[in-house]
Amino acid sequence: MEIKRNQRKPLAGMTLRELRNVTASLDMPKFAATQLAQWIYGKRVTTFDEMLNISKANREKLEANYVVGLKPPTEAHKSEDGTVKYLFDVGDGRAIESVYIPDEDRATLCISSQKGCRMNCYFCMTGRQGFHGNLTANEIINQVLSVPNSESLTNVVFMGMGEPLDNLEEVLKVIEILTESWGLAWSPKRITVSTVGKKPELKTLVEKTSVHIAVSVHDAVHEERMQIMPLEKIYQIKDVLEMLSKYDFAHQRRLSVEYIMWQWFNDDIAHAEALREILPDEHVRVNLIRYHMIPDTPKLRTSSDERMAYFRDYLNSKGVTCTIRRSRGEDIQAACGMLAGKVKK
């Protein structure tokens, strides 16, 4: 019996194992699963009719039970610096955002993993809107496959809306799709996953994948970090970084620390020294980030350029590789901490 169209499951977002289950259930040849993966992930087709090496009878079976599941963004906003923010409808009147960041020979896509976020970080627009559900692997990989210039992407960073490790199962599926030969066949070194420090899930991610890791620290002083990042009450950042020190980041795999700087809150030498003391070893890189104002955060102001440079130079003088990240897309609310996803009426 034919399934109603709005109840058909998307194939995009499925692993090869899951696609094999689909083809087996429809009495299709075993090799058809690989063909589906090639059409969806390799060629980014949006309809079954485009899958020319699959028989018409089997395409009709697929059409009756599934959809390809790739949907273009509903809106795009371009910054003066070339950054583009894309809006994706994820149903139930909600939307998520992705940010395309071109930079000379690189093209990075910052993708979302949740509708909102339950980490409730004080300085983050996404956290302010609350949590409205995890994105499926389909909704996550769709951002990568459906943005314009998708095939020219060089990097993907899980730094958009949501805490990726709060949706680890789906994120791991997407990483598999991105890196396996039947998927996009990317090197794991083209992928960075950011986290505020969900320790058990982070351990799983580090051991199951070879992607780069970025830890959002923002304040190394326990009592202060608790005020702005509630997860600190459960997983202290010094313990998270101590755990990471047991893994090898000395070669191609990269570990970085993200540190937003606020004037007179976390930008003095005492805070630089507190940060240095909890860093795992010399192989970690610190990225200093300007704070981008969001509504209802009267306590926070961004640090001056001079103060950020002083903080950077101090850490470098102590043997810590530290740089100031250039802000991108602030004029279209696409910079760090500003993604919210327009809630559609």
Side-chain angles (χ1 to χ4, degrees):
M1 184 175 69
E2 186 169 315
I3 298 173
K4 291 181 179 179
R5 188 163 186 82
N6 62 357
Q7 295 176 343
R8 297 173 191 174
K9 292 183 179 179
L11 296 184
M14 289 189 182
T15 63
L16 185 59
R17 176 182 56 81
E18 291 171 322
L19 290 173
R20 284 172 176 159
N21 291 337
V22 167
T23 54
S25 71
L26 298 177
D27 294 320
M28 294 172 61
K30 289 184 178 179
F31 59 79
T34 302
Q35 291 177 321
L36 285 172
Q38 290 171 342
W39 284 111
I40 296 169
Y41 303 127
K43 299 184 183 299
R44 295 157 169 78
V45 303
T46 58
T47 67
F48 293 115
D49 287 339
E50 298 170 85
M51 301 179 180
L52 300 179
N53 63 350
I54 297 177
S55 71
K56 183 177 179 182
N58 283 329
R59 294 202 305 267
E60 289 175 349
K61 288 180 187 179
L62 290 164
E63 183 73 32
N65 294 276
Y66 296 92
V67 293
V68 175
L70 296 182
K71 301 177 181 178
T74 58
E75 292 182 18
H77 301 277
K78 189 170 184 178
S79 167
E80 292 179 353
D81 63 25
T83 300
V84 185
K85 182 171 70 172
Y86 293 103
L87 188 81
F88 287 90
D89 187 344
V90 289
D92 298 324
R94 301 209 170 270
I96 53 98
E97 293 174 329
S98 308
V99 181
Y100 173 75
I101 309 168
D103 187 12
E104 297 181 355
D105 60 343
R106 293 167 60 91
T108 301
L109 188 69
C110 176
I111 61 175
S112 296
S113 55
Q114 293 183 309
K115 308 170 197 177
C117 184
R118 61 177 131 220
M119 298 300 102
N120 197 30
C121 296
Y122 177 73
F123 49 86
C124 178
M125 184 79 82
T126 307
R128 287 297 185 90
Q129 71 171 253
F131 177 70
H132 305 289
N134 284 325
L135 296 182
T136 63
N138 167 257
E139 291 165 331
I140 299 173
I141 196 65
N142 180 63
Q143 299 167 66
V144 178
L145 299 177
S146 297
V147 295
N149 302 314
S150 171
E151 296 190 39
S152 68
L153 293 176
T154 61
N155 300 83
V156 163
V157 294
F158 287 81
M159 294 183 181
M161 297 173 62
E163 163 58 50
L165 300 192
D166 200 30
N167 189 16
L168 182 59
E169 184 176 346
E170 299 300 291
V171 167
L172 286 175
K173 284 177 63 175
V174 172
I175 292 172
E176 182 179 349
I177 293 166
L178 289 169
T179 57
E180 290 295 329
S181 59
W182 50 262
L184 274 67
W186 280 21
S187 164
K189 308 306 182 292
R190 296 170 65 178
I191 304 164
T192 300
V193 177
S194 176
T195 178
V196 297
K198 291 202 77 182
K199 187 177 175 183
E201 292 84 355
L202 180 55
K203 186 175 189 294
T204 299
L205 177 72
V206 172
E207 293 179 353
K208 284 193 171 185
T209 76
S210 299
V211 300
H212 297 314
I213 305 296
V215 183
S216 298
V217 175
H218 307 320
D219 197 318
V221 179
H222 173 61
E223 294 76 15
E224 295 175 1
R225 194 170 188 265
M226 283 194 299
Q227 296 176 38
I228 57 173
M229 304 178 74
L231 191 68
E232 176 74 10
K233 299 172 185 176
I234 303 171
Y235 303 117
Q236 291 192 38
I237 196 61
K238 67 179 181 64
D239 296 333
V240 173
L241 293 176
E242 182 181 358
M243 178 195 74
L244 289 173
S245 69
K246 299 173 184 177
Y247 297 93
D248 181 13
F249 291 96
H251 299 94
Q252 288 188 328
R253 194 177 197 181
R254 184 174 66 245
L255 172 63
S256 58
V257 160
E258 312 296 295
Y259 195 93
I260 297 175
M261 298 199 68
W262 295 287
Q263 188 176 38
W264 313 124
F265 183 77
N266 68 342
D267 64 348
D268 56 23
I269 295 303
H271 283 87
E273 184 59 26
L275 176 61
R276 188 184 70 83
E277 288 177 359
I278 67 169
L279 293 177
D281 56 37
E282 69 274 15
H283 299 297
V284 65
R285 173 186 293 272
V286 176
N287 294 318
L288 304 182
I289 304 170
R290 290 178 177 81
Y291 173 57
H292 306 105
M293 282 289 295
I294 66 170
D296 304 318
T297 54
K299 297 179 182 179
L300 301 178
R301 294 288 184 273
T302 191
S303 297
S304 66
D305 291 347
E306 294 77 14
R307 204 161 178 85
M308 291 183 72
Y310 188 48
F311 196 100
R312 175 201 61 199
D313 294 345
Y314 177 82
L315 287 177
N316 283 330
S317 73
K318 298 297 181 179
V320 177
T321 301
C322 181
T323 59
I324 298 174
R325 181 189 291 171
R326 182 162 61 100
S327 293
R328 298 290 299 271
E330 186 173 4
D331 57 323
I332 57 169
Q333 292 192 310
C336 181
M338 301 184 80
L339 297 186
K342 184 175 65 177
V343 179
K344 300 173 70 178
K345 294 183 180 179

